[in-house]
Amino acid sequence: MSDRETRHKRSMQKLKSHVDDRVASATEQRGLLMVFTGNGKGKTTAAWGTVTRALGYGYKVGVVQFIKGAWECGERERLSEDDNLEVQVMATGFTWETQNRASDIQACLEVWHEAERMLADPSVYLVVLDEITYMLKFGYLDIERVMTALQHRPIEQTVIITGRNAHRDLTDRADTVTEMQETRHAFNSGIQARRGIDY
Ligand code: ATP
Ligand code: MG
């Protein structure tokens, strides 16, 4: 064996023992609270990717779309053929289009009600609360109410929260927090959002 191969073998052995130790020390089994936040692209995409993953094993999944419910969404089109997926959508479009705080709050609370039902149902393996961070930011939803529902959810249930400017209580509580960082976005070069790529 050459020097290089010997060195590689030794360093792989070290790495393997490190990884084995880490795997052995992860002993807890329970659902997770995950937050996908930050200004970069990919939060909702990552959530739908996880939805696909869970559906792939036959688990039941609930997705609640706040704000952008009225928008087209390719994943929703495709995956809603699966009986294990329930999607609830906030009926109004963007808040700056409706420009009516009272009706926005009502639409938000209606769809939140569906979210609360999912968060209390042990048969639902994964719940996605897409763009819910804005509901908290606008004051349409109380953080206490959301935290209570999250804390009392079934032990095996995983929840994914997406949206920019996630409330501190959410990121403090979450098991996994990913901050998508924008390095560049095509939109800022004047390129339109593309069907089947961006939505
Ligand atoms: P995606 O749905 O593509 O995963 P996202 O959930 O991370 O994006 P949102 O803030 O929810 O980001 O963005 C919704 C829409 O705006 C999507 O069509 C997305 O492609 C686009 N978008 C995301 N990030 C940016 C950005 N930094 N600048 C402009 N448009 C963006
Ligand atoms: Mg999003």
Coordinates of all heavy atoms in Angstrom, one line a residue, residues 99-108 140:
Q99 N -55.7 43.6 1.4 CA -55.7 44.9 2.1 C -56.8 45.0 3.1 O -57.3 46.1 3.4 CB -55.6 46.1 1.1 CG -54.4 46.1 0.3 CD -54.4 47.1 -0.8 OE1 -55.3 47.9 -1.0 NE2 -53.3 47.1 -1.6
N100 N -57.2 43.9 3.7 CA -58.3 43.9 4.6 C -57.9 43.1 5.8 O -58.0 41.8 5.8 CB -59.6 43.4 4.0 CG -60.8 43.6 4.9 OD1 -60.6 43.5 6.1 ND2 -62.0 43.7 4.3
R101 N -57.5 43.7 6.9 CA -57.0 43.0 8.0 C -58.0 42.1 8.7 O -57.7 41.0 9.0 CB -56.5 44.1 9.1 CG -55.6 43.5 10.2 CD -55.0 44.6 11.1 NE -54.9 44.0 12.4 CZ -53.8 43.3 12.8 NH1 -52.8 43.1 11.9 NH2 -53.7 42.8 14.0
A102 N -59.2 42.6 8.8 CA -60.2 41.8 9.5 C -60.5 40.5 8.7 O -60.6 39.4 9.3 CB -61.5 42.6 9.6
S103 N -60.6 40.5 7.4 CA -60.9 39.3 6.6 C -59.7 38.4 6.6 O -59.8 37.2 6.6 CB -61.4 39.7 5.2 OG -60.4 40.2 4.4
D104 N -58.5 39.0 6.6 CA -57.3 38.2 6.6 C -57.2 37.4 7.9 O -56.9 36.2 7.9 CB -56.0 39.1 6.5 CG -55.7 39.5 5.1 OD1 -56.3 38.9 4.2 OD2 -54.8 40.3 4.9
I105 N -57.5 38.1 9.0 CA -57.4 37.4 10.3 C -58.4 36.3 10.4 O -58.1 35.2 10.8 CB -57.7 38.4 11.5 CG1 -56.5 39.4 11.6 CG2 -57.9 37.7 12.8 CD1 -56.7 40.5 12.6
Q106 N -59.6 36.5 9.8 CA -60.6 35.5 9.8 C -60.2 34.3 9.0 O -60.3 33.1 9.5 CB -61.9 36.0 9.3 CG -63.1 35.2 9.8 CD -64.4 35.4 9.0 OE1 -64.6 36.5 8.5 NE2 -65.1 34.4 8.8
A107 N -59.6 34.5 7.8 CA -59.1 33.5 7.0 C -58.0 32.7 7.7 O -57.9 31.5 7.6 CB -58.7 34.0 5.6
C108 N -57.1 33.4 8.3 CA -56.0 32.8 9.0 C -56.5 31.9 10.2 O -56.0 30.8 10.3 CB -55.1 34.0 9.6 SG -53.9 33.4 10.8
Y140 N -51.8 38.2 13.5 CA -53.0 37.5 13.1 C -53.2 36.3 14.1 O -54.3 35.8 14.3 CB -53.1 37.0 11.7 CG -53.1 38.0 10.6 CD1 -53.1 39.4 11.0 CD2 -53.1 37.7 9.3 CE1 -53.1 40.4 10.0 CE2 -53.1 38.6 8.3 CZ -53.1 40.0 8.6 OH -53.1 40.9 7.7

